[in-house]
Amino acid sequence: LSHVKSVPVSCMRRQSADEVHAAPEHHIRRLSLDETTKTHLHHSWSSLTHLLASAPLTSPHQDQPCPSYLAFELHLVTSRFDQTDLGMAFESHCCRSLNALASTTSFHTLVGQLARALADEHDVPPSHQPALLRLTRQMVHARLGAVFVAPVAAALERDQASWTQHASQSARARALHQLQEVGLPAASTLWLRRSVAALEALPYFMPDHTLDAFLGVISTLHEEVSASLARPAQSLSADIILPVLVALVLHSHAPFLIAQIHAMETLALTDGRDGGEAAYYVALVQSAIRHVTQVDG
């Protein structure tokens, strides 16, 4: 109470309208386009080609956007992409597609058209066009991902529920037994704990990030199998990797695995990845899941 009594009365009263009006103004305003471009990202990338030359071709194994993607989005703003004929047509297409949750253009066709137009407009050399295609793919998915997932969402949810049902204790026991048949420890999957952790941490929003992280899972799996068998990783055939993948998916908590595999297959396997290592291992993990559902079915 003694402290309260020592506070001047003037500090405890409401200010009048005249006093508020006479107070210094605190300007709260939207920054102009020129001001927003005076950022670290703007000074780091002098052109789209410079940005692409510095952009990593693989992403961090997480769903957060990487700096090169943020710089790409900023470049679209500063180059006034939304005011070009292509930009306005793309925005119109996005609005129609989101309203109907359906697209008249396939995902890969849309990405290809945008990437080619941007490459022509900004004189992007062929050597940097894979990076441009990758960033464009992320940009399109960030805006229209729901449109391409919605038509199959119910089926993916149903397939995930079916997979969860098939991933029973007996299926896990059979998977461990199959490991023994190829000379691997069958008592538990502790020796696969790094692969299990990597699969459980698989991103699920951006398909490119999911695919990059999945290839990281495969790399870790090869390391752990190689160490267990005391054999070079490059000598491991599908006859060994497939039963390990079966054990891996059965002993991992991956509640979105079916949707993640679908996204990798339909939205990320492009730009030379088709028929390559990524496509091979996506097909192999699909085979692992089919093996479980067929045997347990």
Side-chain angles (χ1 to χ4, degrees):
L1 288 176
S2 60
H3 171 71
V4 172
K5 290 178 181 179
S6 66
V7 177
V9 175
S10 60
C11 295
M12 302 177 64
R13 65 180 179 81
R14 181 179 298 174
Q15 287 183 305
S16 68
D18 291 337
E19 289 173 318
V20 171
H21 182 72
E25 293 185 12
H26 297 283
H27 294 286
I28 300 176
R29 60 184 179 83
R30 180 179 297 174
L31 294 176
S32 68
L33 179 61
D34 291 336
E35 289 172 311
T36 58
T37 58
K38 294 177 181 178
T39 64
H40 172 71
L41 286 176
H42 176 68
H43 290 299
S44 297
W45 318 109
S46 58
S47 66
L48 181 57
T49 298
H50 181 204
L51 187 160
L52 296 171
S54 306
L57 287 180
T58 57
S59 61
H61 298 171
Q62 55 190 12
D63 272 322
Q64 287 83 355
C66 59
S68 56
Y69 175 68
L70 294 176
F72 177 67
E73 287 281 8
L74 181 59
H75 177 82
L76 294 179
V77 173
T78 56
S79 63
R80 293 176 170 81
F81 171 73
D82 62 317
Q83 297 178 24
T84 65
D85 291 342
L86 178 66
M88 289 187 288
F90 178 54
E91 182 179 359
S92 176
H93 177 78
C94 288
C95 291
R96 292 195 308 271
S97 300
L98 288 169
N99 185 54
L101 276 183
S103 174
T104 56
T105 307
S106 73
F107 179 79
H108 295 306
T109 298
L110 189 58
V111 169
Q113 290 173 347
L114 287 167
R116 285 192 296 272
L118 288 170
D120 291 341
E121 180 181 352
H122 297 279
D123 297 321
V124 176
S127 59
H128 296 323
Q129 289 181 17
L132 174 60
L133 193 62
R134 178 185 180 85
L135 292 174
T136 304
R137 191 161 56 240
Q138 294 182 48
M139 183 266 286
V140 172
H141 185 268
R143 289 159 174 75
L144 290 175
V147 170
F148 297 102
V149 173
V152 294
L156 292 174
E157 185 176 3
R158 184 173 61 250
D159 291 346
Q160 182 68 47
S162 174
W163 163 251
T164 302
Q165 184 178 5
H166 281 100
S168 60
Q169 190 63 37
S170 59
R172 295 188 183 94
R174 282 195 300 271
L176 291 177
H177 178 71
Q178 290 169 347
L179 291 180
Q180 188 176 19
E181 293 178 355
V182 294
L184 288 164
S188 71
T189 56
L190 283 177
W191 61 276
L192 270 176
R193 58 184 177 274
R194 288 173 52 225
S195 298
V196 170
L199 184 64
E200 291 180 347
L202 209 63
Y204 53 83
F205 174 67
M206 198 66 76
D208 277 88
H209 293 191
T210 306
L211 184 59
D212 290 340
F214 176 68
L215 291 178
V217 172
I218 295 299
S219 177
T220 301
L221 183 147
H222 273 78
E223 291 173 4
E224 292 185 311
V225 173
S226 174
S228 183
L229 292 177
R231 289 175 52 179
Q234 58 269 27
S235 69
L236 302 176
S237 66
D239 292 336
I240 295 175
I241 296 301
L242 182 57
V244 177
L245 273 175
V246 170
L248 177 63
V249 295
L250 281 170
H251 288 83
S252 300
H253 176 65
F256 305 107
L257 182 61
I258 303 301
Q260 288 165 317
I261 293 173
H262 172 80
M264 289 190 290
E265 180 187 23
T266 61
L267 302 178
L269 283 177
T270 59
D271 186 28
R273 292 183 175 191
D274 297 317
E277 181 187 30
Y280 171 75
Y281 283 110
V282 169
L284 204 59
V285 75
Q286 289 174 321
S287 297
I289 289 175
R290 280 196 302 270
H291 172 79
V292 174
T293 55
Q294 289 170 0
V295 171
D296 200 52

